[in-house]
Amino acid sequence: MIKLGFDWMNNKSIWTVALALALAVGGCKTQKGKLEFEKPESGQKVLLGEQLKLKLNFSEAAVDSVIYSIDGNILERKKDTSAVVLDTQKVGLGDRSITAKVYIAGKEDIAYSNVVVLPPSAKNYGFEVVNTFPHDDKAFTQGLQYEGGVLYETTGRTGESSLRKVELQTGKVTKIVPIGDSYFGEGMTIIGDKIVVLTWQDNVGFFYNKNSFEKTGSFSYGNSKEGWGLTYDGQRLIKSDGSNLLYFLDPTTGKEIGSIGVYDENGAVDSLNELEYIEGKVYANVYQQEIIVVINPETGAVEGRINLVGMNTENRQPVDNELNGIAYDVAGKRLFVTGKLWPKLYEIKTVER
């Protein structure tokens, strides 16, 4: 065997270093002139209403045009790469995609970035118990509403789900109908002389006559495939599905007509569950947390956070005992809360911290 003057195995490390250097130099060359955003940094969190500067870092001085877009909607067209200003109040809360398309001599280049628009910090509240009332500790509460001096309630669990009318003072169930053996009952609300009831994963909701509890119709869900909480703002049904979205439904047909994302100062607020519309805001309990968030339904901003930890400790089980019932007495301005299999219903008032 003839031994070559160069020993590959002994100089393997030298070749590795040389190759890495070559790639690094080549990489620098390919990055030169790359179109990218100098501002904002990708993923940057900004406050709703903030005036955000969009600025490109690009070596070419002369361009034909630049088109800035937010979530695919054109924000501004320019003839140079100077900064433009985004009013975040106009784009709303959530993750917003930003693009800049630059055209030079008929060629297109694109820069990408994104920001997360968040609301101001929510106010924090504790609670005081004003009164307690008996509650059926076998009721797997899913929806709750107070009207005309009585409570209307839906309960869950497949084969056990029901729609009920309940005396506030005694907790006595005065009227009850099963939702159906194959359905898992969820949230409910009242619109005039009818009650609207959700099911969990069956993609269907029902209309009932409020007086007779006779089922009068049904509707299918839209983009939201699950039913969790439901309330009515006087014009629209508002529905939750365990995500951070609130869905708006036509109150006559149940057809989905829109949605909005819910965010606090930290980001998306997921697991929105039972809902109640109170004086222009949506109160939503957060699943498996002793928290009710107060949401502006027009913006999706969480404006308040009610901590209910320690309210119900009586024979509390580690699972299937979650807070899951919010009702409001409009005339008396009383707030009621209860939960799955809770032996009591609580009248509370909030205390700002």
Side-chain angles (χ1 to χ4, degrees):
M1 178 182 294
I2 300 172
K3 186 174 181 181
L4 298 176
F6 181 81
D7 189 334
W8 162 252
M9 293 303 295
N10 291 338
N11 289 277
K12 184 177 179 181
S13 59
I14 297 174
W15 275 95
T16 302
V17 172
L19 180 60
L21 288 171
L23 289 173
V25 171
C28 290
K29 287 182 179 178
T30 59
Q31 294 299 312
K32 185 178 180 181
K34 179 183 177 182
L35 178 63
E36 59 186 5
F37 276 99
E38 181 179 316
K39 295 180 180 180
E41 294 182 5
S42 183
Q44 180 179 330
K45 293 181 178 180
V46 297
L47 189 65
L48 182 66
E50 185 177 335
Q51 303 295 302
L52 183 66
K53 182 181 287 188
L54 311 183
K55 182 174 175 55
L56 289 171
N57 181 8
F58 192 48
S59 62
E60 298 288 342
V63 299
D64 296 330
S65 65
V66 184
I67 301 176
Y68 294 88
S69 298
I70 309 297
D71 294 335
N73 300 309
I74 294 176
L75 171 67
E76 192 168 337
R77 300 174 187 265
K78 292 180 69 69
K79 294 295 185 181
D80 56 46
T81 57
S82 60
V84 299
V85 175
L86 169 65
D87 182 357
T88 59
Q89 189 72 47
K90 294 181 179 179
V91 300
L93 299 171
D95 195 333
R96 300 297 172 214
S97 174
I98 304 171
T99 61
K101 292 184 179 179
V102 174
Y103 295 90
I104 303 175
K107 293 184 178 181
E108 178 188 276
D109 200 355
I110 306 177
Y112 300 93
S113 190
N114 72 293
V115 294
V116 184
V117 184
L118 300 175
S121 296
K123 292 182 178 179
N124 289 305
Y125 298 87
F127 71 95
E128 289 183 6
V129 175
V130 177
N131 222 329
T132 59
F133 304 93
H135 180 255
D136 181 2
D137 63 5
K138 294 179 176 58
F140 200 73
T141 303
Q142 298 292 331
L144 192 69
Q145 187 158 349
Y146 179 91
E147 183 176 284
V150 298
L151 290 164
Y152 294 83
E153 183 175 11
T154 45
T155 67
R157 288 183 166 166
T158 303
E160 301 177 18
S161 300
S162 66
L163 169 63
R164 305 172 170 209
K165 188 175 182 179
V166 181
E167 288 183 351
L168 173 65
Q169 295 293 334
T170 65
K172 180 182 178 181
V173 178
T174 60
K175 194 175 189 68
I176 183 170
V177 295
I179 293 173
D181 289 343
S182 64
Y183 296 116
F184 192 114
E186 283 285 347
M188 56 79 64
T189 194
I190 297 172
I191 306 174
D193 62 355
K194 64 184 178 183
I195 299 174
V196 190
V197 176
L198 299 178
T199 63
W200 180 23
Q201 295 179 318
D202 294 288
N203 199 40
V204 63
F206 298 110
F207 294 106
Y208 290 82
N209 180 282
K210 188 177 72 174
N211 296 316
S212 67
F213 277 20
E214 177 186 359
K215 191 179 291 183
T216 59
S218 65
F219 61 95
S220 297
Y221 301 158
N223 292 318
S224 167
K225 301 303 181 185
E226 293 190 359
W228 287 45
L230 191 68
T231 191
Y232 179 57
D233 69 358
Q235 295 181 321
R236 309 165 296 182
L237 289 167
I238 304 176
K239 172 179 177 286
S240 66
D241 66 352
S243 68
N244 80 308
L245 296 175
L246 292 179
Y247 294 86
F248 304 115
L249 314 182
D250 182 285
T252 303
T253 65
K255 182 179 179 180
E256 193 176 293
I257 55 178
S259 64
I260 195 167
V262 175
Y263 297 83
D264 65 10
E265 66 272 20
N266 299 307
V269 179
D270 293 310
S271 301
L272 299 175
N273 198 358
E274 219 273 296
L275 308 177
E276 184 78 5
Y277 187 77
I278 302 174
E279 298 179 355
K281 310 297 179 184
V282 174
Y283 284 52
N285 78 275
V286 180
Y287 180 56
Q288 293 187 324
Q289 296 186 41
E290 303 290 280
I291 291 174
I292 292 174
V293 290
V294 181
I295 305 162
N296 182 326
E298 305 309 317
T299 65
V302 172
E303 298 180 345
R305 191 180 295 107
I306 307 169
N307 188 330
L308 298 177
V309 172
M311 182 178 62
N312 175 39
T313 57
E314 185 177 336
N315 298 320
R316 193 75 182 271
Q317 300 300 310
V319 295
D320 288 346
N321 248 193
E322 297 92 353
L323 170 74
N324 205 38
I326 310 170
Y328 186 64
D329 173 7
V330 176
K333 297 189 180 299
R334 294 184 295 172
L335 177 62
F336 304 107
V337 294
T338 191
K340 300 172 184 176
L341 312 179
W342 285 19
K344 293 180 181 178
L345 178 140
Y346 298 83
E347 178 190 343
I348 65 169
K349 69 175 182 178
T350 59
V351 180
E352 187 171 351
R353 290 177 171 174

